[in-house]
Amino acid sequence: MLTPKNAETQTEISAQELERRVAILKRFRELLSQQRNHFQEYLTVLDVQKDVIEKGNPDDLIVHVELEEKIIGDIFAIQKVIDPLEAMYQTHISEILPGEIREVPNLKTALEELRSEAVIRSARNRDLLTKRMGELQHEMKALRANPYAIHRSVFSQQSATLIDIKG
């Protein structure tokens, strides 16, 4: 049986408890990796979305916004599972498996960097979209003010008053 590295508790851990803690650690690492992959995917979507905003194609923008919402939903769903596992990790695992836990801080650091980058790029896209919407509103006002740009009905046009029936 293994003894914890923590000097405060000198009790031995059963093999079953050790297996449970290792399983928690593996699942925690797996979820952090998945979260990191989702954030990388999200950054890619944000980059493409920036180009779509600049081009001004509304159909492509809708597709990217829907994809962005799906990825964000996935990120939040995984985070709901990560939070309790992290609490278990902090209270039980970090004290007995020092070799295994080195990867977790690295994953968490990478995840925080990706999260920060996602916030920055999302804010940039939001600013671009706000600017683009302002430009479109200005164009719409200009079109409304231009009497020649107004689409006239076919029925409002004057018809011919004389018709040559002799040919």
Side-chain angles (χ1 to χ4, degrees), residues 21-38:
R21 291 180 182 189
V22 169
I24 290 171
L25 176 63
K26 286 181 180 178
R27 182 67 179 143
F28 185 48
R29 279 193 328 224
E30 178 184 315
L31 287 171
L32 287 175
S33 294
Q34 285 178 1
Q35 191 76 313
R36 181 185 60 200
N37 294 340
H38 281 299

Side-chain angles (χ1 to χ4, degrees), residues 78-165:
I78 291 177
Q79 192 63 44
K80 287 180 183 178
V81 178
I82 287 176
D83 291 340
L85 281 177
E86 184 172 10
M88 285 198 271
Y89 163 78
Q90 301 227 340
T91 58
H92 297 291
I93 298 171
S94 61
E95 63 193 34
I96 62 164
L97 299 169
E100 293 288 323
I101 63 170
R102 284 188 213 119
E103 185 178 349
V104 171
N106 293 337
L107 282 171
K108 287 184 71 170
T109 301
L111 191 58
E112 286 302 317
E113 289 171 0
L114 288 171
R115 187 175 291 153
S116 298
E117 185 65 26
V119 167
I120 291 168
R121 290 185 192 183
S122 180
R124 176 193 65 197
N125 284 0
R126 189 172 42 254
D127 292 342
L128 277 173
L129 190 56
T130 302
K131 179 182 173 187
R132 182 69 178 136
M133 287 174 55
E135 291 170 358
L136 290 174
Q137 287 174 347
H138 181 70
E139 288 177 23
M140 288 173 50
K141 286 179 184 177
L143 286 174
R144 287 184 185 144
N146 185 351
Y148 298 108
I150 297 176
H151 180 355
R152 300 186 190 269
S153 171
V154 175
F155 301 109
S156 69
Q157 296 177 357
Q158 291 186 357
S159 59
T161 54
L162 298 175
I163 299 175
D164 183 15
I165 56 172

Side-chain angles (χ1 to χ4, degrees), residues 27-55:
R27 182 67 179 143
F28 185 48
R29 279 193 328 224
E30 178 184 315
L31 287 171
L32 287 175
S33 294
Q34 285 178 1
Q35 191 76 313
R36 181 185 60 200
N37 294 340
H38 281 299
F39 268 105
Q40 288 171 337
E41 183 181 358
Y42 182 51
L43 290 175
T44 302
V45 167
L46 288 173
D47 287 340
V48 173
Q49 189 179 50
K50 175 185 174 272
D51 296 337
V52 169
I53 291 170
E54 290 172 347
K55 290 178 183 174

